[in-house]
Amino acid sequence: MLTKRIVACLDVSAGRVVKGVQFVDLVDAGDPAELAARHAAAGADEIVFLDITATHEGRGTLIETVKRAAQQLFVPFTVGGGIRTADDAAAVFEAGADKISINSAALAHPELIGAIGSSFGAQAVIVAIDARRTAGASIDQAEVFIAGGRTPAGRRAVEWAREAEDRGAGEILLTSMDADGTRAGFDCELTAAVSEAVRIPVIASGGAGDAHHFTRVFREGKADAALAAGIFHFGIASVRALKEELQRDGIPVRLPC
Amino acid sequence: MIAVVDYKAGNLTSVMKALLAVGADPELTQDPAAVLRACKIILPGVGHFAATRFLEERGLKAAIQEGIAAGVPFLGICVGLQWLFAGSTEAPDCPGLGAFPEICDRFAPGKKIPHVGWNSLSIHPESRLLRGIDEGSFVYFTHSYRAPIANVTVAVTEYGEPFTAAIERANVMGVQFHPEKSGSAGLRLLRNFVRMPC
């Protein structure tokens, strides 16, 4: 049976893993290679490495750091942040990524999705969507932001997810900016709206606090995978302990791991 | 030396790293002569079936055929497994190696495609490739097309329907999942392959 994936995310800035709340107030959480290995050993089904300041600062992904993190990693490894061209993507694959995640560049140049997919396969291209809802507005109105949540993109999340799928994305990584870092739970409504709008897998992100939040986003949010960062880095919930709780809740997970 | 055939399709870095981790001496190559010299051949790959056209164009297909006929152990990964069959509906004008007569096809509609994530294996107990890997072990898949169940199938996985997760006939082997990304079960499989007599 296909299991629900637990994804550990490393938000990297200047070569260090950082953790913020609603995309600001960053604190240091450690070395990327060390944390990637630790999370994989603890049972993470995937590791995502996001260079969160690359686009904002207008520079490429930290290739050397990616290489170091990938070295001893035998679970899927996704890298995002600062990938603007098919050549950028190729360099990241060469450094050891199995998938790449694009966000701002995909919105600016949607044809990039297909261009990377044609060389490395559609399954290797994740389109990341950072979305924010306005109080009182319907889910369909949720807005997309780019450049690490700094700039509105003038697009609606659900409609953009559909376009990304049509253009050949293999997965959607959906982050609720409202929930990010709050540890108050994923935005299940938004996740479900996107998951039902597309036929490709959706990774829910933003708001993970406890096992119950994961159960809800898999059941109500119809997510195929769920991502968290801070709760794992600071040892609040080990991935294995989380999976054991999910299994008790009847969610299929990879155990033993 | 293990020849890892580079046909510009996929996560070669990950495959090379995993082989080094299990003590192999892999050589990434596009050269048919290197394939002919190899004591084992691995054809990795993610992506589109049409990428295998490169094998024909560069004379790699003929070299692989010759190696297989000489009894050299061969392992195809993902598209590399599918290529062992007659072809795939993903690229109908691009024939596979034809070691097995079946045709690979897209998953039936109804489930999310691609099939991405960790899914379990139902394993034939006599498989040498899967020796030491527990029944029900989870491995990592990412693909939209799959091989049907055939008489060479040694592991089955279920995603809406049962499909071939691994095949094995004498020296010809293939896996639909990614052993290089499947944690300890995947490394065990690669070690099994690496330790097979040449």
Side-chain angles (χ1 to χ4, degrees):
Chain A
M1 179 188 248
L2 181 64
T3 53
K4 297 291 187 184
R5 284 173 280 154
I6 304 298
V7 182
C9 180
L10 312 174
D11 291 324
V12 180
S13 174
R16 296 287 290 176
V17 177
V18 294
K19 186 55 207 155
V21 174
Q22 287 168 336
F23 285 42
V24 292
D25 295 336
L26 303 179
V27 294
D28 188 273
D31 174 65
E34 210 173 285
L35 279 167
R38 198 215 292 169
H39 293 326
D45 295 316
E46 270 186 68
I47 307 290
V48 171
F49 176 118
L50 292 179
D51 185 352
I52 57 169
T53 50
T55 299
H56 171 58
E57 292 170 5
R59 56 173 171 74
T61 313
L62 308 157
I63 292 292
E64 285 312 312
T65 315
V66 169
K67 259 188 208 163
R68 214 159 49 78
Q71 200 49 46
Q72 287 300 315
L73 214 49
F74 301 108
V75 298
F77 184 45
T78 299
V79 175
I83 296 170
R84 283 179 289 267
T85 64
D87 285 347
D88 291 345
V92 169
F93 285 120
E94 172 82 33
D98 300 290
K99 315 186 214 182
I100 56 94
S101 162
I102 45 176
N103 184 337
S104 308
L107 281 151
H109 305 285
E111 66 282 359
L112 185 62
I113 301 169
I116 299 172
S118 68
S119 310
F120 296 94
Q123 79 295 321
V125 184
I126 297 180
V127 171
I129 301 176
D130 295 333
R132 169 166 280 169
R133 289 162 68 174
T134 321
S138 77
I139 301 277
D140 282 349
Q141 304 296 308
E143 257 196 289
V144 179
F145 282 72
I146 53 169
R150 289 171 185 84
T151 318
R155 296 292 300 262
R156 307 287 181 212
V158 173
E159 163 259 328
W160 167 233
R162 259 197 216 109
E163 181 182 336
E165 176 186 22
D166 290 342
R167 287 182 176 274
E171 290 179 80
I172 300 287
L173 167 55
L174 176 69
T175 301
S176 161
M177 294 174 59
D178 305 301
D180 182 66
T182 62
R183 295 189 190 152
F186 295 93
D187 187 336
C188 293
E189 267 187 296
L190 179 66
T191 308
V194 171
S195 189
E196 282 167 352
V198 298
R199 287 149 298 173
I200 53 178
V202 173
I203 306 162
S205 154
D210 61 28
H212 182 62
H213 296 148
F214 285 85
T215 298
R216 280 196 56 203
V217 82
F218 290 136
R219 289 235 169 89
E220 295 158 37
K222 302 186 164 53
D224 301 284
L227 174 150
I231 59 163
F232 300 142
H233 306 330
F234 299 113
I236 291 165
S238 85
V239 183
R240 187 166 289 107
L242 168 66
K243 284 177 149 185
E244 283 163 358
E245 251 188 274
L246 291 175
Q247 193 171 52
R248 282 194 287 275
D249 272 354
I251 303 288
V253 288
R254 177 175 65 108
L255 275 178
C257 56
Chain B
M1 178 269 285
I2 297 184
V4 178
V5 182
D6 174 9
Y7 60 108
K8 300 286 163 210
N11 60 342
L12 296 165
T13 310
S14 290
V15 174
M16 295 296 282
K17 263 190 332 202
L19 286 168
L20 289 169
V22 299
D25 56 343
E27 181 183 323
L28 198 56
T29 184
Q30 297 189 346
D31 179 7
V35 172
L36 287 170
R37 273 200 315 274
C39 81
K40 291 195 180 82
I41 304 167
I42 294 183
L43 185 68
V46 288
H48 203 280
F49 194 86
T52 61
R53 197 170 280 134
F54 185 92
L55 301 172
E56 182 105 55
E57 290 163 1
R58 296 294 184 100
L60 290 160
K61 185 176 182 175
I64 292 170
Q65 251 161 345
E66 198 176 323
I68 286 177
V72 172
F74 174 94
L75 177 66
I77 299 173
C78 194
V79 176
L81 166 140
Q82 295 178 12
W83 181 73
L84 289 168
F85 288 85
S88 168
T89 55
E90 187 174 23
D93 58 340
C94 181
L97 185 71
F100 313 117
E102 290 82 0
I103 298 280
C104 300
D105 198 3
R106 197 171 163 88
F107 279 110
K111 288 271 193 183
K112 288 202 168 184
I113 298 175
H115 168 227
V116 181
W118 296 77
N119 203 331
S120 54
L121 294 175
S122 170
I123 299 171
H124 192 292
E126 275 161 37
S127 166
R128 290 173 303 148
L129 187 61
L130 297 162
R131 185 171 297 159
I133 297 172
D134 292 335
E135 172 67 16
S137 287
F138 290 101
V139 289
Y140 184 77
F141 291 86
T142 175
H143 61 126
S144 302
Y145 287 75
R146 89 289 175 274
I149 308 288
N151 60 9
V152 290
T153 299
V154 292
V156 172
T157 294
E158 184 90 28
Y159 188 60
E161 55 182 325
F163 66 92
T164 287
I167 57 173
E168 183 173 332
R169 190 179 69 190
N171 59 322
V172 183
M173 289 157 271
V175 287
Q176 179 59 64
F177 52 90
H178 290 274
E180 74 280 9
K181 289 283 126 182
S182 292
S184 54
L187 293 178
R188 174 65 202 245
L189 182 146
L190 291 174
R191 197 174 292 118
N192 286 347
F193 180 74
V194 165
R195 288 185 182 168
M196 281 178 189
C198 287

